Amino acid sequence: MHPTVCWWRYAWRAACALPTSTFSAAARRTHKQSFPPNSTSTRCHSSFFAATDVQRFCGAHLSSVSTEIYITPGRGSVLSHKHSVREFSNSAPTMTASKYQIAERGAPNSTDYRVYFKNENGQSISPLHDIPLYANDEQTVYNMVVEVPRWTNAKMEISLGEGLNPIKQDVKKGKLRFVANCFPHHGYIWNYGAFPQTWENPDHLDSDTGCKGDNDPIDVLEIGSRIAKRGEVMQVKILGTIALIDEGETDWKIITINVNDPVADQLNDIGDVETVFPGLLRASVEWFKIYKIPDGKPENQFAFNGEAKDAAFATKTVAETHRFWQQLVNKEVDSNGISCLNTTVDGSPYLVANDAADEVFAKSATGGNPEPVSEALHKWHFRSENSYSKL
């Protein structure tokens, strides 16, 4: 039996053999097997599980799936089998995003719902402009703003046209938008979001893709084991990128992993993704290719025949979109309908005082009429030739 596929079975058996007093009552209640809603496989890889809160006890770090036990060397051990447990030492620096807070406004599941951001002092900020792109001085770790947690369907995104750029749900024909469940995928298959202080310039013709930018911050896929929270600011490292061509526009998808993930030290470039998470790159390309078909749209296309580019290429692409953002926020180019209101960018013509930013937040909607839960969230779409049938 291959240890990288089913090593957890041994860990589970060993853990079950421990005295019950080893674990707290709360830990015993939550220590159970959990599979994602679209799983029909027994392959046991941390990226393909629905996550619960991270649990820590007896010096052992449990992944967000409680049957997968990760031992951090040097902090004790609950399992001593020499070949039973695969150890993951995380050499990446431990980082937190506790200095950022979110404030929800409006009724959830309504067109008035917004997620605003505040700094550690409780002052209103823009997640697009006031959260730094780089999370460390070496510029090797990045801040990712999580818009959509994995396995969810609501199409949440940073609102470009509104002051302070809160997260809101996209709307089409007056209705909230949800992505369809295209079998075997359930909702988004990664934590999905954007890099702050980036912008894909719609007037720039990309020399690699031959298409202009899509007027959005650059999109980010985080492939680690933990399900993030909406509005979370996560520290990630870049592994590579996919170049989606969405309705004729370049739409980069940067592939990353949380630097605090148990296997983060094993992933440093795009080739490592297939080694550690076999099949995930292929599934990601398929997801972007087909996810709009249930809405009556054709398959999306890709630059480079859908081949993922490496970390160096992706890093260069992100740096370029950061320069485009600098031009945007400094009013060197047309704003293209984007609100550039900010509280921290020195020299920006859009810089405002904290009081003015707080006033924007105070004027945001607090009500709203929640929509009924869409039945589409529980439907599967099965592909038949170039269309999807709904079950």
Side-chain angles (χ1 to χ4, degrees):
M1 185 176 294
H2 200 287
T4 62
V5 174
C6 289
W7 59 267
W8 66 271
R9 295 182 181 176
Y10 298 104
W12 172 249
R13 292 168 184 164
C16 290
L18 292 171
T20 57
S21 59
T22 303
F23 308 110
S24 67
R28 291 197 299 272
R29 285 195 299 272
T30 58
H31 194 69
K32 59 186 179 180
Q33 192 169 337
S34 177
F35 291 89
N38 65 323
S39 177
T40 57
S41 170
T42 56
R43 179 176 292 277
C44 306
H45 202 286
S46 62
S47 181
F48 295 145
F49 288 89
T52 60
D53 290 336
V54 175
Q55 303 150 349
R56 301 183 179 206
F57 44 86
C58 291
H61 289 238
L62 269 69
S63 75
S64 48
V65 180
S66 51
T67 52
E68 296 186 36
I69 300 180
Y70 299 96
I71 307 301
T72 302
R75 294 195 61 186
S77 174
V78 297
L79 300 173
S80 58
H81 296 281
K82 184 175 181 181
H83 299 294
S84 296
V85 179
R86 179 182 177 188
E87 295 186 350
F88 294 120
S89 61
N90 186 4
S91 61
T94 300
M95 309 186 78
T96 66
S98 59
K99 64 180 181 179
Y100 298 112
Q101 311 165 32
I102 63 168
E104 297 174 290
R105 302 281 278 185
N109 205 47
S110 78
T111 56
D112 289 315
Y113 177 72
R114 299 290 187 275
V115 178
Y116 284 88
F117 287 73
K118 294 178 179 289
N119 63 16
E120 64 270 31
N121 298 318
Q123 295 166 333
S124 301
I125 62 171
S126 161
L128 177 58
H129 305 300
D130 294 314
I131 295 175
L133 169 61
Y134 299 105
N136 64 348
D137 292 336
E138 297 77 17
Q139 299 187 353
T140 56
V141 179
Y142 298 75
N143 286 314
M144 170 193 178
V145 177
V146 177
E147 297 165 314
V148 186
R150 188 169 65 239
W151 308 136
T152 63
N153 300 73
K155 196 175 190 311
M156 309 298 296
E157 57 188 23
I158 292 173
S159 177
L160 300 181
E162 299 180 30
L164 298 180
N165 312 110
I167 292 176
K168 69 171 186 177
Q169 189 164 352
D170 192 23
V171 175
K172 183 177 181 181
K173 296 181 179 179
K175 295 292 185 180
L176 299 175
R177 286 190 65 190
F178 298 87
V179 298
N181 299 314
C182 297
F183 185 83
H185 310 300
H186 187 281
Y188 288 75
I189 63 175
W190 344 255
N191 294 312
Y192 188 85
F195 277 149
Q197 298 188 341
T198 62
W199 178 52
E200 296 190 57
N201 188 343
D203 295 321
H204 172 75
L205 185 66
D206 190 279
S207 60
D208 293 305
T209 66
C211 297
K212 295 183 178 180
D214 67 353
N215 199 40
D216 285 329
I218 202 164
D219 294 323
V220 184
L221 320 178
E222 193 281 318
I223 63 174
S225 60
R226 185 176 67 84
I227 294 181
K229 294 179 174 62
R230 181 185 300 157
E232 179 178 343
V233 180
M234 181 184 292
Q235 284 69 57
V236 301
K237 62 178 176 178
I238 290 176
L239 306 175
T241 186
I242 298 169
L244 176 66
I245 305 301
D246 190 353
E247 299 182 11
E249 297 175 332
T250 302
D251 189 5
W252 295 105
K253 308 296 181 183
I254 307 298
I255 302 164
T256 70
I257 190 165
N258 186 340
V259 296
N260 296 320
D261 192 88
V263 297
D265 66 320
Q266 300 181 39
L267 292 114
N268 296 294
D269 215 329
I270 197 65
D272 301 327
V273 176
E274 182 60 26
T275 300
V276 181
F277 297 139
L280 181 56
L281 286 177
R282 182 172 61 254
S284 298
V285 171
E286 179 187 64
W287 193 96
F288 284 114
K289 184 177 183 180
I290 66 178
Y291 83 103
K292 289 186 178 181
I293 293 179
D295 296 328
K297 294 186 177 182
E299 291 182 350
N300 276 322
Q301 303 300 311
F302 298 85
F304 320 117
N305 295 317
E307 176 188 352
K309 292 296 186 179
D310 62 17
F313 186 100
T315 300
K316 175 180 68 70
T317 300
V318 172
E320 183 177 54
T321 61
H322 182 53
R323 289 192 296 271
F324 293 152
W325 168 82
Q326 289 173 324
Q327 294 170 354
L328 176 71
V329 80
N330 288 312
K331 211 172 184 178
E332 296 173 12
V333 295
D334 186 83
S335 66
N336 283 279
I338 298 174
S339 172
C340 296
L341 190 74
N342 70 85
T343 61
T344 61
V345 184
D346 291 338
S348 169
Y350 304 104
L351 181 68
V352 299
N354 292 328
D355 289 347
D358 288 337
E359 187 176 351
V360 173
F361 169 74
K363 290 181 178 179
S364 59
T366 57
N369 297 312
E371 294 185 8
V373 176
S374 173
E375 292 185 1
L377 295 180
H378 309 297
K379 301 292 184 180
W380 285 108
H381 294 261
F382 292 84
R383 190 174 186 184
S384 175
E385 295 180 356
N386 288 323
S387 62
Y388 267 80
S389 59
K390 184 165 62 177
L391 181 63

